[in-house]
Amino acid sequence: SIVDTNVDDFSNPRDVVAVNGHAGVFKAMGLYDEALAEYVRAQKLDPHDVIAVNGRAEVLKVMGCYDKALAEYARARKLDPHDVYALAGRAEVLKAMGGYGDALAEYNRAQTLAPRDVVVVSGRAGVFKAMAHYDDALAEYARAQMLDPHNVAAVNGRAEVFKAMGRYDEALVEYERAQALDPRNAYAVTGRAEALKAIGRYEEALEEYDKARANNSYDRVAGTGRACVLATLGRFDDALQTLSDRQPRDLHDWIDLHVRAMILLRLGRTAEAKGILTVGTSDSNPFLDTRDYFRTAFALVTLREGRLDEATEVLEQISNPACQNVANVLRFDSYGRLG
């Protein structure tokens, strides 16, 4: 893992490869300003270096600066019209923006350039998963595994689909397969923890999260998952201490903020929670899908306070399929109270 690499290992300030490596470490550590600065330095050393342009686009994507990320991927394509990874990166941005048809179109273009590229095939699978077209996603991940039987990302992706379908036993089998291929694969360890959490095996889930954090202290998914389990077990103070408390810079920060709000609600600190939820539903949160998680929680608060019209208005704004079941329950509650 790149986060196991010391920043000092990339010590030559005039070597573009070293500077890009430096930037990659900063990105993995969540130090985005530093990563962007290093990629700019790499571009100054070699204005035609596509890796630096794609790297800068990737950082901007992680930060939710989608328009800027698309502009960088367009620059990469101008430098190299056959660059598959610029197309794949652009597809991932479009997916994050909810443009699933456009994302698939970009991946299809990438496939014409590299029909056997596992990253492209797995990317298509990820779009199908986001659309809840699970059979198509499984078929694409199976194709990726046929192209490269040792590709851990495809095995993890297949596990993610099973988890999304609620088929947790099958997901656990796939995560174990991924760990057999790569015992230090943090994504497999964290994914296994998520599946164990979902079926109520909390102590085992905590062990897996701790293992993931021991392998990679910057594993944000493991930290958030661990906080959720601790909160479920009633260990609210421990859970709050596990969460990030920095100003939101990326998707993980916004997820942590949502989890923090939910814990504060459980603790009866409603005013603090509402302040967080209000920010999470606003335009300052660039991750559109996550806004619906904040909206769902905000609607719950307003229902508790008897502000039924406001709750109904908030619930009508929810479009994320992952939030619909909870939103529907709250809608029925709201309609029942309104008579």
Side-chain angles (χ1 to χ4, degrees):
S1 169
I2 195 168
V3 293
D4 296 323
T5 307
N6 192 303
V7 173
D8 292 335
D9 291 344
F10 302 105
S11 56
N12 186 344
R14 300 294 303 172
D15 185 328
V16 173
V17 174
V19 176
N20 281 331
H22 213 171
V25 174
F26 281 134
K27 174 182 171 289
M29 294 170 69
L31 300 174
Y32 302 124
D33 291 335
E34 290 85 347
L36 289 172
E38 288 299 281
Y39 281 127
V40 168
R41 192 153 68 90
Q43 288 175 259
K44 287 179 179 177
L45 290 171
D46 182 358
H48 301 286
D49 184 63
V50 178
I51 292 173
V53 182
N54 279 332
R56 182 172 165 79
E58 177 69 19
V59 175
L60 291 166
K61 181 183 73 178
V62 169
M63 295 173 69
C65 302
Y66 296 134
D67 289 340
K68 292 180 180 178
L70 289 172
E72 289 298 299
Y73 283 126
R75 284 187 60 213
R77 289 272 289 155
K78 283 183 179 178
L79 288 171
D80 181 0
H82 300 289
D83 183 43
V84 172
Y85 297 107
L87 278 172
R90 177 175 163 79
E92 286 298 299
V93 174
L94 293 168
K95 182 181 79 172
M97 296 172 71
Y100 301 129
D102 292 335
L104 281 176
E106 289 297 289
Y107 273 124
N108 289 342
R109 290 189 190 96
Q111 270 198 316
T112 62
L113 294 173
R116 297 181 62 80
D117 191 297
V118 176
V119 171
V120 174
V121 177
S122 293
R124 275 174 50 86
V127 178
F128 284 130
K129 174 181 173 289
M131 298 170 71
H133 294 176
Y134 297 130
D135 289 339
D136 291 330
L138 289 172
E140 287 295 281
Y141 281 127
R143 190 156 72 90
Q145 288 176 257
M146 287 178 63
L147 290 170
D148 180 3
H150 300 287
N151 186 269
V152 179
V155 181
N156 279 329
R158 188 172 164 82
E160 286 291 300
V161 176
F162 283 132
K163 192 171 67 178
M165 297 172 76
R167 292 161 60 176
Y168 297 113
D169 288 341
E170 289 166 277
L172 287 170
V173 169
E174 292 297 306
Y175 284 128
E176 285 167 9
R177 283 187 59 215
Q179 285 182 283
L181 288 170
D182 179 5
R184 285 183 58 81
N185 186 265
Y187 197 95
V189 178
T190 303
R192 177 173 162 76
E194 293 285 300
L196 291 167
K197 179 182 73 176
I199 56 179
R201 291 162 60 178
Y202 299 125
E203 295 300 335
E204 291 175 79
L206 281 177
E207 289 177 13
E208 292 296 302
Y209 283 130
D210 288 341
K211 189 189 302 181
R213 282 155 61 90
N215 287 340
N216 174 9
S217 60
Y218 297 101
D219 190 329
R220 302 285 302 286
V221 175
T224 305
R226 188 174 189 278
C228 290
V229 173
L230 291 170
T232 301
L233 295 173
R235 295 167 56 183
F236 300 118
D237 289 339
D238 291 338
L240 288 172
Q241 289 176 13
T242 302
L243 295 168
S244 168
D245 58 359
R246 73 174 184 175
Q247 281 293 108
R249 298 295 309 280
D250 60 20
L251 176 61
H252 297 301
D253 290 333
W254 285 103
I255 293 172
D256 274 11
L257 201 60
H258 177 264
V259 174
R260 181 176 295 277
M262 299 305 291
I263 294 172
L264 292 173
L265 285 176
R266 291 282 298 273
L267 291 170
R269 293 159 61 179
T270 306
E272 291 174 73
K274 280 175 63 179
I276 291 173
L277 296 173
T278 300
V279 173
T281 60
S282 72
D283 291 341
S284 63
N285 176 3
F287 300 97
L288 301 182
D289 278 356
T290 67
R291 289 187 198 176
D292 281 351
Y293 288 95
F294 286 94
R295 287 189 182 109
T296 304
F298 190 85
L300 173 63
V301 174
T302 53
L303 276 174
R304 285 179 178 176
E305 294 176 342
R307 293 169 21 230
L308 307 183
D309 289 336
E310 186 177 350
T312 302
E313 184 180 339
V314 171
L315 289 167
E316 290 306 314
Q317 298 175 46
I318 294 172
S319 59
N320 186 342
C323 300
Q324 285 300 335
N325 287 340
V326 175
N328 285 336
V329 171
L330 293 175
R331 284 190 189 100
F332 289 134
D333 187 16
S334 176
Y335 297 150
R337 296 190 195 196
L338 286 168

